[in-house]
Amino acid sequence: MHDFACKNPDEMYFKVLADKTRYFKEDEKGVADMSKIMDDLIEDLIEDEKKEIALKMLQDRKLENGEIARYCSLTLEQVEQLAKMQTA
């Protein structure tokens, strides 16, 4: 557990974990890789949130699918797929 709480890889006991941490924090390519991983994760989280909001709107049945798509920045096809999943 100690190593997971360490911010500095030089303080870690487990060499493999320290090396990987050093790569992602200090190596130019590692930092770029980690930035890409984080960007992808954030994109996925945002997309999931949009779909959650669209699902709530679909449940309310107050808006047309095209309006929901526009408000949630989703495609009409994505909203229609969510609507199908909701009725299944």
Side-chain angles (χ1 to χ4, degrees):
M1 286 313 265
H2 170 269
D3 286 1
F4 291 111
C6 289
K7 293 181 181 180
N8 183 352
D10 294 330
E11 297 172 2
M12 294 180 175
Y13 301 136
F14 190 55
K15 183 179 178 348
V16 174
L17 184 58
D19 290 344
K20 282 292 183 185
T21 301
R22 190 173 289 106
Y23 171 74
F24 285 119
K25 286 186 163 218
E26 298 172 3
D27 184 272
E28 189 174 322
K29 184 172 176 352
V31 171
D33 288 347
M34 182 54 71
S35 293
K36 173 74 172 119
I37 291 167
M38 291 304 295
D39 287 346
D40 291 346
L41 178 62
I42 291 167
E43 259 183 57
D44 289 346
L45 292 171
I46 291 170
E47 193 70 18
D48 289 347
E49 187 66 22
K50 289 178 186 181
K51 289 177 181 177
E52 284 292 320
I53 293 168
L55 280 170
K56 290 176 185 174
M57 293 172 126
L58 286 165
Q59 288 171 348
D60 287 346
R61 299 176 191 253
K62 293 181 180 177
L63 299 171
E64 297 294 323
N65 289 357
E67 292 173 303
I68 294 171
R70 185 165 45 94
Y71 294 147
C72 294
S73 298
L74 296 170
T75 65
L76 181 58
E77 292 77 22
Q78 287 173 307
V79 173
E80 289 172 349
Q81 185 66 34
L82 290 170
K84 285 180 189 175
M85 289 171 42
Q86 191 176 36
T87 59

